[in-house]
C-alpha cells in the first residue's frame, strides 16, 4: 500500500510565518486543545486556540468485486444526527497508515480488500486543527462481520457506484471528508469502468 505523492507534502513549513509567544494546554485527553499567544509578520498579536498537528486518520472508499460501493450511516453526537459517510478512523500512535486502513475497513464493515489505491491526503479543518487525513480507494472488497467499537452506532449498506455519485451530487453525503474522498476517487473509478 504505497503512499500517494501528495502525502509527502503534508508537513510543516521549514520557516514559520507566525511567532509563538506563549503556549498552554486548555484541554487534555483524546482531543487536546492548545491556546497560543502569537504574533503575525505585521506585528499583530492575538490568542489562537487549535488542535495541534499530529493526529492522523484514514478514509477508505470500499468497492466490492461486484461494483457495489460500501457506505455507512453513523450517529454523530455533536450533530445529534445520523449521517452517511465512508469508512474512516484514527491512526493509532506508531501505527502504519496502511495497517490502520486495513483495520478500520475490517472493524467498521467487516471488509478485506484485494487492492489498495492511495488517494491525495488533506487537512480537514486547517483553521482550527492540525489533523491530517489519508485517503484510500479499496477495490475487490469482500464483506464479512463488522467489529464495531462499543461507542460506534454504524449501519453498513451498499449502493452502485453511479448511485453513490448521485447521492453526492444531491447533497445526501454531508460529511465533508467523505465527500472529498469520493470526489478524489472519481477518476480512478472511471478508469476501472465503475462509472
Amino acid at each position: 500500500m504505497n503512499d500517494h505523492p501528495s502525502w509527502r507534502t503534508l508537513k510543516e513549513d521549514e520557516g514559520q510565518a507566525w511567532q509563538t509567544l506563549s503556549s498552554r494546554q486548555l484541554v487534555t485527553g483524546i482531543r487536546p486543545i492548545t491556546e497560543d499567544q502569537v504574533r503575525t509578520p505585521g506585528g499583530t498579536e492575538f490568542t489562537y486556540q487549535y488542535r495541534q498537528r499530529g493526529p492522523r486518520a484514514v478514509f477508505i472508499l470500499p468497492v466490492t468485486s461486484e461494483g457495489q460501493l460500501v457506505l455507512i450511516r453513523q450517529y454523530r453526537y455533536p450533530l445529534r444526527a445520523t449521517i452517511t459517510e465512508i469508512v474512516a478512523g484514527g491512526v493509532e500512535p506508531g501505527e502504519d497508515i496502511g495497517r490502520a486502513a486495513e483495520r478500520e475497513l475490517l472493524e467498521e464493515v467487516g471488509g478485506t480488500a484485494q487492492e489498495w489505491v492511495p488517494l491525495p491526503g488533506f487537512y480537514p479543518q486547517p483553521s482550527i486543527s492540525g489533523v491530517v487525513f489519508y485517503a484510500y480507494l479499496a477495490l475487490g472488497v469482500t464483506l464479512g462481520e463488522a467489529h464495531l467499537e462499543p461507542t460506534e452506532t454504524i449501519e453498513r449498506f451498499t449502493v452502485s457506484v453511479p448511485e453513490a455519485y448521485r447521492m453526492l451530487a444531491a447533497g445526501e453525503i454531508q460529511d465533508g471528508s467523505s465527500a472529498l474522498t469520493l470526489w478524489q476517487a472519481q477518476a480512478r473509478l472511471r478508469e476501472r469502468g465503475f462509472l
Side-chain angles (χ1 to χ4, degrees), residues 12-161:
E12 292 183 11
D13 292 345
E14 289 186 28
Q16 296 298 305
W18 291 3
Q19 179 184 5
T20 304
L21 304 173
S22 66
S23 185
R24 70 184 181 120
Q25 199 74 36
L26 291 181
V27 177
T28 59
I30 192 167
R31 291 182 178 84
I33 304 294
T34 300
E35 179 179 87
D36 289 353
Q37 295 300 314
V38 298
R39 180 182 298 132
T40 67
T44 301
E45 293 183 12
F46 63 101
T47 301
Y48 205 100
Q49 295 176 350
Y50 64 103
R51 237 180 121 186
Q52 285 193 356
R53 186 180 193 87
R56 302 175 301 164
V58 288
F59 278 74
I60 304 102
L61 184 61
V63 181
T64 68
S65 297
E66 297 79 27
Q68 293 292 299
L69 201 143
V70 184
L71 297 173
I72 60 173
R73 290 184 187 95
Q74 182 163 202
Y75 178 74
R76 292 298 189 180
Y77 181 76
L79 301 175
R80 306 304 200 269
T82 299
I83 62 173
T84 299
E85 304 177 3
I86 66 171
V87 173
V91 178
E92 301 294 333
E95 186 177 29
D96 175 76
I97 294 167
R99 175 65 194 112
E102 291 172 336
R103 177 181 49 75
E104 286 295 337
L105 181 62
L106 185 61
E107 286 179 5
E108 291 196 356
V109 297
T112 57
Q114 293 176 2
E115 182 182 358
W116 291 88
V117 179
L119 299 170
F122 55 95
Y123 301 118
Q125 295 178 307
S127 64
I128 60 168
S129 175
V131 173
V132 183
F133 286 175
Y134 300 89
Y136 284 99
L137 174 61
L139 298 169
V141 172
T142 302
L143 297 174
E145 185 177 338
H147 307 279
L148 300 177
E149 296 175 17
T151 58
E152 292 177 319
T153 305
I154 293 176
E155 174 194 352
R156 173 184 85 191
F157 68 102
T158 60
V159 295
S160 69
V161 174

Side-chain angles (χ1 to χ4, degrees), residues 167-186:
M167 293 170 66
L168 179 65
E172 295 171 21
I173 299 173
Q174 298 167 333
D175 173 59
S177 299
S178 295
L180 180 57
T181 302
L182 276 157
W183 184 82
Q184 291 172 332
Q186 195 167 12

